Amino acid sequence: DAGVTQSPTHLIKTRGQQVTLRCSPKSGHDTVSWYQQALGQGPQFIFQYYEEEERQRGNFPDRFSGHQFPNYSSELNVNALLLGDSALYLCASSPGAGVGGELFFGEGSRLTVL
Amino acid sequence: AQKITQTQPGMFVQEKEAVTLDCTYDTSDPSYGLFWYKQPSSGEMIFLIYQGSYDQQNATEGRYSLNFQKARKSANLVISASQLGDSAMYFCAMREGGVTDKLIFGTGTRLQVFP
């Protein structure tokens, strides 16, 4: 049983470009959340999706947007990249938001902005 | 406002010994969940253990146990019989009640296990 899978694992972009990161939740999970983890810090919540809608959002600008597909997979899009967007982006999935402790993360996508 | 505090930036433990990683939290919500994750240098956030605020007993998962002291608002992770592979960053996180998977993370503790 595959867990949470993310792609790509590493990527390099330049300032001003746009990036799309992808996440497939664990089988049986319908809720996906995205986190940004800067070097040396704990992850910060970006937003959460279920039923193909953004349900909750953290303190991130509109340059960060997302999407959830009918098969529950999700994308994170970041426009007009800044140097400060360099981070590890983690996707987490659960069988239902706020339900119990089954909240698992993927291996992350490491974004470097030059 | 909800907050997680991990006061130990780094910890050392000898192989086969037990170690306790500290975590305190602050919330006004009576319903919440507490998580511990392990993050090796590869970056993956590996789930270790979960404790719900209404759970009567401390959570245990193999060598991991959570020392939950509700009145003190602490949720310390105890790793028994440490192994070299336990060397990693450890994060404590909290999720408040409601229909949310928003976790608030602490700053983490780097654990190093030596032979």
Side-chain angles (χ1 to χ4, degrees):
Chain A
D1 179 23
V4 181
T5 58
Q6 293 186 240
S7 63
T9 54
H10 294 81
L11 68 167
I12 300 173
K13 294 285 187 178
T14 57
R15 281 177 296 175
Q17 285 189 313
Q18 179 263 345
V19 67
T20 297
L21 308 178
R22 296 175 177 83
C23 172
S24 291
K26 178 179 169 60
S27 177
H29 288 189
D30 62 2
T31 302
V32 173
S33 304
W34 287 92
Y35 290 78
Q36 180 195 65
Q37 186 179 20
L39 195 62
Q41 299 181 19
Q44 300 288 320
F45 175 80
I46 302 174
F47 42 53
Q48 169 187 299
Y49 277 84
Y50 65 91
E51 294 182 348
E52 302 178 46
E53 291 191 15
E54 182 183 300
R55 299 294 181 168
Q56 191 175 9
R57 188 178 184 93
N59 188 25
F60 280 81
D62 291 344
R63 298 187 298 108
F64 289 77
S65 63
H67 189 78
Q68 186 178 36
F69 300 94
N71 67 352
Y72 309 123
S73 66
S74 177
E75 289 181 349
L76 165 65
N77 301 292
V78 187
N79 295 322
L81 284 167
L82 305 174
L83 295 180
D85 295 331
S86 294
L88 179 68
Y89 289 85
L90 293 162
C91 172
S93 75
S94 76
V99 177
E102 192 170 334
L103 182 56
F104 301 142
F105 284 81
E107 294 188 3
S109 294
R110 193 171 298 277
L111 171 65
T112 302
V113 181
L114 301 178
Chain B
Q2 53 178 314
K3 185 179 180 181
I4 291 285
T5 302
Q6 295 181 255
T7 57
Q8 305 156 314
M11 290 283 286
F12 287 88
V13 65
Q14 190 168 30
E15 197 177 10
K16 300 180 184 178
E17 296 295 312
V19 62
T20 298
L21 306 184
D22 295 341
C23 173
T24 59
Y25 60 92
D26 188 20
T27 180
S28 57
D29 192 335
S31 176
Y32 52 89
L34 296 159
F35 296 76
W36 276 94
Y37 291 91
K38 170 185 176 181
Q39 189 174 46
S41 56
S42 62
E44 181 181 7
M45 195 71 74
I46 301 169
F47 169 81
L48 295 178
I49 198 165
Y50 167 80
Q51 179 86 42
S53 60
Y54 295 119
D55 293 344
Q56 294 297 311
Q57 293 187 327
N58 287 348
T60 60
E61 292 280 355
R63 295 187 299 113
Y64 305 107
S65 60
L66 199 152
N67 184 2
F68 181 46
Q69 299 190 33
K70 198 169 183 176
R72 296 184 178 182
K73 293 189 174 180
S74 74
N76 298 338
L77 176 70
V78 180
I79 305 175
S80 63
S82 297
Q83 302 172 355
L84 296 178
D86 293 335
S87 294
M89 281 292 289
Y90 288 80
F91 288 96
C92 179
M94 178 174 64
R95 180 187 63 203
E96 288 192 330
V99 186
T100 178
D101 276 347
K102 177 182 178 181
L103 296 178
I104 301 298
F105 282 83
T107 51
T109 296
R110 180 168 297 281
L111 176 66
Q112 295 188 58
V113 182
F114 59 94

